[in-house]
């Protein structure tokens, strides 16, 4: 038994060694103290470095510079002249964000819309995820397919489709008027309502999938045990299913909330002039005002507004739930 | 098997309500059948269990024992038949409305609750006052010796501790009947043996009726007041551990409980106080020193346990049941050794011998010619 286990442990190393192209590369890396394990970790590390950390540093740098009519439209952070290195950090962009109530209210509205959208997505997504997780095997795959199906068509196309559904002479108003429920069309386009519909619709799968992944693991004997100990089905849900699905709720909510805060396309297409979301403000600063430093400062501020509470929540969850 | 002492054996006869006609059964199972589609999981089972019993349902996997237990707990609805507990018909009662509690094979402890909260869960559902809940939880924690672990999560406990939490959680509600699904299966052998005794002690202390489902015959022998052996959805024999072991009613039971040598044969002589069976398999006549309800010339099987056969190098004289053969295999088990003796006919006979001395001098070894003999009352004549 132990002999077999040892054999299988050694196998991967051997098989890597046998690959003709991997052998010289592996040998060179091994001399540098990098095994196959380091190689595997290196790929995502490099990816994050190139496509996340470096752009982040660039944006952070721009946010500390001064706007200028130039190309690119900001002044460099440091200058080297006559043997003197002069570094000028301009925090004015951040001070400007703090002083102008526009940004404050845009942040607030973004967080509000994203927060309520997340809540709606949770209320709609939880029962769906639960039902899929409890469905019999074959049916489960079909239902999961249906959840993922919208991704097969373009996101923009689907948002435009909502315009067709929600507009004054759109599908809903037509249907309601033809059955005589209303006499005049309801204005739905260019309202917050349309923005909510768009965001909840778009991000619902991101709520359902992590919830499903969590709920499908739920041990059904726990529900039986609760029932055996005297709990009705609602009490069982509140005391067993819900607390055990908190990691799924948390993951799904983050996946909906974070992109929803920075959402630009949906409020731009479905929302009205009153819908002031931070993504739209950022777009305006960047393209209309050509004020890259302020746009960058908005982006950095948004990042901190999002990342800090998420990190705190995650920490709280780690210290609280060692069970999962 | 031979070294297994049944804990319940020493019980005085008055605590055997099943032999007392005036006693009313506590649980009546009447003609219960459960079908899953075409498959019959439990087939027309009737069973009486008495108050304070520790009843084991014993059988291999898929024999229907767990389904029967789940019908008692209310997780499965019988296709037909009735279950009555303490005079109350269980039909249509949901699990939470039944006077039973279940201890699950996987323990099914709530991973997000501490030991304390797990145990208090059922009491809170009954709407008890916090003070009473706390008191009962601490009482039961003392009983299962887990008072120091009240604040721990199940993931921070060992397998044996989790098992005790599961037991405590089911017992704290003071059910009329406690149903245990393979309660010791997840423990290692040493711990299982200790826990068996603990389980019996707790059961005797509280006087709750236990119904245990197990596939482990040793566990069933050790724990139970009575055993119901199940096969293919039916109960094939009910009896005290000794009865089941010494007087198996069928070849299945003889084979399932412990190990056994079966000799096929035919009754040649039959009288009120003895029977002689001619077995071509061993080329000998078997003398049975008591009457058997059978007819002459009837085909029967003679079952004899390995530990009831005496083995010697010298040929004993003047004995009735005598075979000779050569030792083919020896398995040393510590407390005893198992010998496989091959007869001239090719039939293999299993014999066990206690290892009375520590050296292996003068003992029987491979290729030795040995004589096997047994008492007239040592085996069982099986007609089915």
């Amino acid at each position: 038994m132990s002999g077999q286990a040892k054999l299988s442990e050694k196998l991967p190393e051997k098989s890597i060694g046998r690959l003709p192209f991997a052998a010289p590369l592996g040998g060179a890396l091994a001399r540098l103290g990098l095994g196959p394990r380091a190689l595997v970790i290196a790929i995502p590390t490099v990816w994050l470095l190139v496509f996340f950390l470096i752009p982040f540093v660039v944006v952070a740098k721009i946010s500390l510079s001064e706007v200028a009519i130039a190309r690119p439209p900001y002044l460099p952070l440091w200058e080297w002249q006559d043997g003197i290195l002069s570094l000028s950090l301009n925090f004015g962009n951040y001070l400007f964000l703090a002083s102008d109530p526009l940004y404050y209210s845009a942040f607030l509205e973004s967080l509000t819309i994203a927060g309520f959208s997340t809540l709606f997505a949770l209320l709609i997504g939880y029962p769906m995820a639960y039902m899929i997780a409890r469905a019999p095997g074959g049916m489960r795959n079909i239902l999961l397919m249906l959840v993922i199906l919208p991704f097969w068509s373009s996101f923009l196309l689907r948002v435009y489709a909502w315009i067709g559904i929600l507009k004054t002479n759109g599908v809903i108003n037509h249907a309601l008027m033809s059955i005589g429920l209303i006499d005049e069309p309801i204005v739905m386009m260019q309202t917050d309502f349309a923005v909510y519909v768009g965001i909840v619709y778009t991000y619902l799968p991101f709520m359902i999938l992590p919830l499903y992944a969590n709920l499908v693991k739920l041990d059904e004997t726990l529900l039986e045990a609760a029932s055996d100990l005297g709990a009705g089905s609602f009490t069982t849900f509140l005391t067993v299913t819900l607390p055990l699905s908190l990691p799924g709720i948390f993951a799904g909510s983050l996946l909906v909330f974070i992109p929803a805060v920075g959402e630009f396309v949906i409020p731009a297409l479905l929302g009205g002039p009153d819908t002031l979301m931070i993504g739209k403000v950022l777009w305006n600063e960047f393209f209309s005002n050509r004020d890259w430093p302020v746009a960058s400062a908005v982006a950095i501020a948004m990042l901190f507004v999002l990342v800090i509470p998420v990190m705190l929540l995650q920490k709280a969850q780690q210290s609280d739930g060692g069970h999962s | 098997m031979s070294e297994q002492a049944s804990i319940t054996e020493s019980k005085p006869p008055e605590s055997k309500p099943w032999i007392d006609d005036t006693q009313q059964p506590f649980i009546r199972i009447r003609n219960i059948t459960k079908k899953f589609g075409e498959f019959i999981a439990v087939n027309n089972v009737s069973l009486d269990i008495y108050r304070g019993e520790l009843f084991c349902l014993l059988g291999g996997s898929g024999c229907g024992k767990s389904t029967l237990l789940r019908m008692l707990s209310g997780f499965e609805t019988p296709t037909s038949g009735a279950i009555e507990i303490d005079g109350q018909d269980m039909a249509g009662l949901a699990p939470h409305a039944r006077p039973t509690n279940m201890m699950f094979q996987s323990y099914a402890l709530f991973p997000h609750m501490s030991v304390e909260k797990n145990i208090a869960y059922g009491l809170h559902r009954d709407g008890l006052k916090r003070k009473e809940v706390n008191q009962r939880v601490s009482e039961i924690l003392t009983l299962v010796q887990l008072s120091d672990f009240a604040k721990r999560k199940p993931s921070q406990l060992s397998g044996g501790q989790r098992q005790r939490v599961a037991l405590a959680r089911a017992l704290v509600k003071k059910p009329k009947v406690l149903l245990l699904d393979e309660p010791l299966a997840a423990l290692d052998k040493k711990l299982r043996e200790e826990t068996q005794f603990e389980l019996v002690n707790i059961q005797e202390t509280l006087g709750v009726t236990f119904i245990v489902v197990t596939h482990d015959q040793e566990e069933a022998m050790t724990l139970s007041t009575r055993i119901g052996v199940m096969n293919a959805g039916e109960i094939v024999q009910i009896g005290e551990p000794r009865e089941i072991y010494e007087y198996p009613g069928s070849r299945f039971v003889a084979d399932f409980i412990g190990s056994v040598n079966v000799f096929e044969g035919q009754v040649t002589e039959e009288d009120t106080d003895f029977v002689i069976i001619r077995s071509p398999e061993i080329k000998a006549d078997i003398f049975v020193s008591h009457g058997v309800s059978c007819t002459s010339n009837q085909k029967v099987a003679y079952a004899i346990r390995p530990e009831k056969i005496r083995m010697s190098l010298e040929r004993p004289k003047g004995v009735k049941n005598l075979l000779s053969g050569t030792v083919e295999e020896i398995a040393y088990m510590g407390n005893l050794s198992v010998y496989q003796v091959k007869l001239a006919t090719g039939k293999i006979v299993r014999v066990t011998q206690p290892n009375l001395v520590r050296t292996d001098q003068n003992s029987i070894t491979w290729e030795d010619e040995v004589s096997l003999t047994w008492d007239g009352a040592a085996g069982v004549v099986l007609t089915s």
Side-chain angles (χ1 to χ4, degrees):
Chain A
M1 212 41 219
S2 62
Q4 274 183 352
K6 270 179 195 161
L7 193 70
S8 62
E9 267 169 34
K10 278 181 185 167
L11 258 172
E13 272 180 38
K14 270 190 181 169
S15 56
I16 284 176
R18 279 199 200 112
L19 292 173
F21 60 86
L25 181 66
L29 285 168
R31 274 192 294 281
L32 288 169
L34 293 170
R37 182 187 291 263
L39 200 69
V40 169
I41 297 170
I43 294 165
T45 310
V46 170
W47 179 277
L48 285 175
L49 199 76
V50 172
F51 294 108
F52 183 75
L53 194 63
I54 293 176
F56 172 76
V57 170
V58 170
V59 171
K61 193 196 93 182
I62 296 172
S63 77
L64 291 174
S65 62
E66 239 178 295
V67 69
I69 300 172
R71 185 180 284 246
Y74 56 90
L75 296 175
L77 276 190
W78 53 77
E79 258 177 318
W80 178 259
Q81 214 166 20
D82 303 330
I84 300 168
L85 175 72
S86 52
L87 181 73
S88 57
L89 294 179
N90 175 21
F91 289 94
N93 301 318
Y94 290 98
L95 294 175
F96 178 62
L97 289 192
S99 65
D100 194 330
L102 168 82
Y103 301 102
Y104 170 74
S105 56
F107 267 120
L108 203 67
E109 189 161 350
S110 288
L111 292 177
T112 313
I113 290 179
F116 278 109
S117 301
T118 307
L119 185 69
F120 295 142
L122 179 65
L123 292 178
I124 299 167
Y126 199 104
M128 287 172 82
Y130 191 88
M131 198 194 75
I132 297 170
R134 288 280 163 277
M139 193 66 192
R140 196 185 290 173
N141 289 336
I142 294 171
L143 291 171
L144 272 180
M145 262 278 290
L146 290 176
V147 170
I148 303 166
L149 203 63
F151 290 119
W152 290 8
S153 61
S154 152
F155 161 64
L156 263 182
L157 217 61
R158 283 180 283 134
V159 176
Y160 274 111
W162 273 108
I163 297 178
I165 295 168
L166 294 175
K167 67 183 176 186
T168 314
N169 54 352
V171 177
I172 291 178
N173 280 322
H174 253 296
L176 290 180
M177 285 204 291
S178 64
I179 58 168
L181 223 59
I182 50 170
D183 297 327
E184 274 174 40
I186 309 167
V187 178
M188 286 178 285
M189 271 305 292
Q190 298 187 328
T191 60
D192 280 359
F193 171 74
V195 176
Y196 278 121
V197 168
I199 292 180
V200 171
Y201 161 77
T202 305
Y203 293 108
L204 193 59
F206 296 100
M207 179 63 86
I208 293 176
L209 293 177
L211 272 175
Y212 163 79
N214 174 284
L215 288 169
V216 79
K217 281 187 305 186
L218 183 71
D219 183 0
E220 241 167 294
T221 55
L222 293 181
L223 307 182
E224 285 189 348
S227 164
D228 185 63
L229 292 167
S233 48
F234 185 64
T235 316
T236 303
F237 175 78
L238 279 187
T239 53
V240 180
T241 312
L242 193 63
L244 284 176
S245 62
L246 278 178
I249 292 176
F250 183 66
S253 299
L254 279 188
L255 285 179
V256 174
F257 182 75
I258 290 177
V261 171
E263 184 54 57
F264 164 70
V265 173
I266 295 168
L269 292 180
L270 300 179
D274 300 339
T275 315
L276 193 65
M277 283 184 78
I278 202 69
K280 220 164 134 186
V281 169
L282 201 149
W283 192 89
N284 280 336
E285 291 297 348
F286 199 87
F287 290 103
S288 307
N289 294 351
R290 271 183 78 75
D291 193 341
W292 287 22
V294 166
S296 301
V298 169
I300 298 285
M302 188 168 83
L303 196 70
F304 278 100
V305 166
L306 287 181
V307 162
I308 290 170
V310 167
M311 274 165 63
L312 288 177
L313 265 171
Q314 211 151 25
K315 205 167 178 184
Q317 213 194 20
Q318 265 169 7
S319 59
D320 172 55
H323 56 80
S324 58
Chain B
M1 216 53 242
S2 53
E3 80 280 10
Q4 277 285 334
S6 178
I7 302 166
T8 49
E9 189 149 294
S10 56
K11 282 200 169 180
E14 59 263 31
S15 68
K16 292 182 178 178
W18 52 92
I19 51 174
D20 183 353
D21 284 341
T22 60
Q23 293 278 341
Q24 285 295 312
F26 191 54
I27 301 161
R28 284 170 186 273
I29 298 170
R30 287 282 166 270
N31 306 100
I32 281 283
T33 296
K34 176 70 186 178
K35 290 181 189 167
F36 294 107
E38 287 297 296
F39 175 70
I40 302 171
V42 174
N43 190 7
N44 198 24
V45 165
S46 292
L47 183 62
D48 284 340
I49 296 169
Y50 295 84
R51 191 188 292 270
E53 261 204 270
L54 203 165
F55 193 95
C56 272
L57 287 166
L58 175 64
S61 54
C63 73
K65 57 190 191 307
S66 290
T67 310
L68 187 56
L69 197 75
R70 290 173 63 81
M71 285 192 283
L72 283 163
S73 64
F75 293 124
E76 304 284 357
T77 317
T79 311
S80 65
I83 295 171
E84 210 178 85
I85 297 175
D86 200 11
Q88 189 191 359
D89 186 14
M90 290 293 117
L93 282 186
H96 60 86
R98 295 192 179 207
T100 59
N101 278 121
M102 175 110 151
M103 186 186 146
F104 293 83
Q105 183 175 5
S106 62
Y107 307 148
L109 298 177
F110 303 125
H112 57 297
M113 296 181 197
S114 63
V115 166
E116 215 172 35
K117 290 199 172 126
N118 261 287
I119 295 172
Y121 188 88
L123 299 175
H124 283 308
R125 300 287 87 75
D126 287 350
L128 293 184
K129 294 248 160 49
R130 190 165 294 274
K131 204 174 148 198
E132 197 189 342
V133 170
N134 290 343
Q135 195 201 334
R136 274 173 65 176
V137 169
S138 72
E139 268 172 26
I140 201 93
L141 278 172
T142 313
L143 183 74
V144 297
Q145 297 162 32
L146 280 175
S147 303
D148 297 340
F149 299 90
K151 304 281 181 214
R152 295 238 190 135
K153 290 270 175 72
S155 58
Q156 298 164 309
L157 298 177
S158 71
Q161 289 165 340
R162 268 181 239 169
Q163 192 261 0
R164 299 213 294 276
V165 177
L167 182 66
R169 188 180 67 175
L171 273 175
V172 79
K173 290 197 71 174
K174 299 183 180 164
K176 287 180 178 170
V177 182
L178 185 69
L179 308 166
L180 303 97
D181 190 2
E182 302 273 4
L184 308 172
L187 306 180
D188 60 64
K189 190 166 163 47
K190 195 90 189 158
L191 192 57
R192 192 161 62 222
E193 279 168 9
E194 288 168 21
T195 315
Q196 282 171 1
F197 287 89
E198 226 171 87
L199 205 59
V200 171
N201 282 337
I202 288 172
Q203 194 263 341
E204 281 176 358
T205 312
L206 299 177
V208 177
T209 308
F210 277 31
I211 301 177
V212 179
V213 152
T214 179
H215 68 277
D216 182 336
Q217 39 142 326
E218 267 186 42
E219 194 174 301
M221 300 288 268
T222 317
L223 291 175
S224 37
T225 53
R226 284 191 303 157
I227 297 172
V229 183
M230 288 190 75
N231 183 33
E234 290 175 30
I235 292 202
V236 288
Q237 191 172 356
I238 302 171
E240 291 167 46
R242 175 179 284 274
E243 263 174 60
I244 298 273
Y245 186 75
E246 303 290 0
Y247 304 98
S250 63
R251 200 178 297 199
F252 174 81
V253 176
D255 212 33
F256 189 77
I257 314 283
S259 73
V260 71
N261 296 295
V262 179
F263 306 139
E264 307 285 346
Q266 202 169 13
V267 177
T268 52
E269 272 184 67
E270 187 251 334
D271 209 328
T272 48
D273 57 353
F274 76 95
V275 176
I276 290 178
I277 299 162
R278 173 155 298 161
S279 172
E281 249 187 324
I282 56 172
K283 232 177 168 180
D285 283 351
I286 300 163
F287 172 76
V288 183
S289 65
H290 52 80
V292 178
S293 56
C294 60
T295 57
S296 212
N297 292 330
Q298 188 182 346
K299 280 198 181 351
V300 293
Y302 186 73
I304 182 156
R305 302 279 183 198
E307 74 275 9
K308 295 195 167 55
I309 302 176
R310 282 189 300 274
M311 185 168 61
S312 57
L313 287 167
E314 304 101 55
R315 197 171 172 84
K317 290 191 176 71
V319 290
K320 286 253 166 57
N321 296 312
L322 184 64
L323 300 173
S324 55
T326 45
V327 175
E328 274 225 319
E329 288 290 347
I330 306 171
Y332 175 75
M333 316 281 281
N335 56 348
L336 49 83
S337 291
V338 182
Y339 296 80
Q340 300 217 358
V341 178
K342 194 173 189 178
L343 306 183
T345 57
K347 173 87 178 171
I348 306 279
V349 180
R350 266 168 86 91
V351 183
T352 56
Q353 301 266 286
N355 292 319
L356 299 172
V357 290
R358 289 162 72 183
T359 55
D360 61 352
Q361 281 173 340
N362 305 326
S363 65
I364 297 164
T365 184
W366 282 270
E367 304 300 328
D368 276 353
E369 286 287 331
V370 290
S371 295
L372 306 176
T373 175
W374 62 90
D375 288 344
V380 182
V381 180
L382 300 171
T383 49
S384 63

